[in-house]
Amino acid sequence: MELNRRTVIAGAAAAGLAATTLAGPARAATGRKPVKEHFGTLADGTEVHRWSLENGGTRLKVLSYGGIVQTLEIPDRHGRRANVSLGFADLAGYVADSPYFGALIGRFGNRIGKGRFTLDGTSYQLSVNDGDNSLHGGAQGFDKHVWDVEPFTRGADVGLRLYRTSPDGEMGYPGTLRTRVTYTLTRHGDWRVDYEATTDKATVVNLTSHVYWNLAGEGGGTIEDHELSIAGGRYTPTDADLIPTGELATVAGTPFDFRRAKPIGRDIRAGHEQQVRAKGYDHNWVLDKGVTARPEHVATLRDPRSGRTLRIATDQPGLQFYSGNFLDGTLTGTGGRTYRQGDALCLETQHFPDAPNHAHFPSTVLRPGQTYRTTTIHSFGA
C-alpha cells in the first residue's frame, strides 16, 4: 500500500492549486507583513510569541506554541468580521487543558490503537494518552512544543513558516523527523497549509490541523444548524475506543451520509450505534477522490445565519469530522464565553486513523530519501 504515499510524494509538489478556483470572486488584497508580539512564557522560561496576519479580508493570529491558530476572523454577508475559531485568551489555557484548540497535530493525527504498530519487522510502542491508545502524537505531541517561526511575504501573499525537529524516539516514534509547515494567507483571503517532513529512519507520519470551527462566531452557540457536505461515500466505523475496525462502510442510508448538504443536527441524535459510541460524529470519511497530486474540493460548511461558508480542498484521502462532543462547559474561550457540547466542529484532513495497523488503508510510511508533502486549502465566503 505504500504506492499511495509515493504518489503523494511524487505529485504533491505540483499542489499549487489556484486559490481563485476555490474562493470565488477575489476580495481586495490587504496583505501586510506579519506582526510579532509576546504572548507568554512557559514554566521552563521559553518565550511564546503570537503572530498576526491579514490578507484578502481574513485575519489570522498564530502562536509559536503548537503552531496554534488562536483566532481566525472572516466577514459575514454584511461584511462584519467575527472570529470563527475556538481558543483561549492566554497561554495558560493552552498549556493546562486544551482539547487541541487550533493546534498543529503530529507526528500522527488521530488515534493509533494501543499505541502500537510494526514497521519492517520492528514493533514500536508509542506514548498512550487516550485510555490505552495514542492520540494526536501522544502526551507531548507537536501541539505542545514551541516552533521556530519565520514570517514571509511573497507577491500578494503573506505567511509564516514553522519549523521543528522531532528527535528519534520522541513519543516512541522512530527516526529524526524534520518538519516544516507553511501557513499562507492569500490575496483572496484563503488560508493554505503546506506540510513537509523528512526522516533519517523509516517512520509513520500523518500531520493535520485541529481548528474548531463555528461560522456564527466563536462562543456563538451550537453548530447543529450549520450545513455540511462531504464528498465521501464511505467512512471507517470504530470500536468502543474509537479505533477503526478496518471496515470501509457505506454512508448510504445512515446518518453519515453528507454527500448532499444537510444541517448537522438533522441526524446527530439518530441513535446509530456508531454515534452512541462517539457521542455524536467523530469519524473518518473515506473521500471519493482518494489520494491526489493536487488539492481537490472535499467539503463545504455553511452557517445560514451569517452566510459565512468554508470550503476545504486537500490532496489527502480522509477527513475526520468531529462534532465537538466532548466540550462540556468547563472551558472559557477568547470571547469570555463557555464552550458546551456541539459549540464547534473540526474537519481534519488526513490519512486514516490507525493506518499503520491496517494494510489496506492508504500508507502513512515515510522513508529516508523521501519527502512527505501535503496541502490543505481553506477558502471563505459569505
Side-chain angles (χ1 to χ4, degrees), residues 104-233:
L104 199 169
I105 300 296
R107 288 188 187 192
F108 200 96
N110 221 296
R111 295 173 174 87
I112 295 181
K114 306 300 182 184
R116 299 173 189 159
F117 70 93
T118 299
L119 178 59
D120 296 339
T122 299
S123 296
Y124 296 94
Q125 177 62 60
L126 308 175
S127 163
V128 294
N129 60 328
D130 184 47
D132 294 332
N133 307 305
S134 184
L135 175 64
H136 294 328
Q140 294 292 319
F142 282 8
D143 59 296
K144 295 178 178 63
H145 291 272
V146 174
W147 292 63
D148 294 327
V149 181
E150 176 185 90
F152 69 88
T153 57
R154 183 179 57 233
D157 298 342
V158 298
L160 305 171
R161 298 184 184 94
L162 298 92
Y163 300 89
R164 181 169 190 271
T165 297
S166 174
D168 183 23
E170 183 175 62
M171 297 295 102
Y173 287 91
T176 299
L177 192 76
R178 301 183 184 279
T179 306
R180 181 174 76 174
V181 179
T182 304
Y183 291 168
T184 304
L185 278 188
T186 74
R187 63 189 180 92
H188 302 282
D190 297 344
W191 175 43
R192 175 177 175 138
V193 186
D194 294 283
Y195 306 87
E196 298 178 50
T198 59
T199 184
D200 61 0
K201 186 186 298 184
T203 191
V204 294
V205 186
N206 190 25
L207 307 181
T208 191
S209 173
H210 208 291
V211 171
Y212 283 70
W213 302 100
N214 186 325
L215 298 184
E218 171 271 340
T222 182
I223 47 80
E224 289 191 11
D225 58 350
H226 281 37
E227 298 166 352
L228 175 65
S229 64
I230 301 174

Side-chain angles (χ1 to χ4, degrees), residues 53 61 94 108 131 151 201 230 345 368 379:
L53 301 81
K61 292 187 177 180
Y94 292 103
F108 200 96
K201 186 186 298 184
I230 301 174
L345 64 102
S379 300

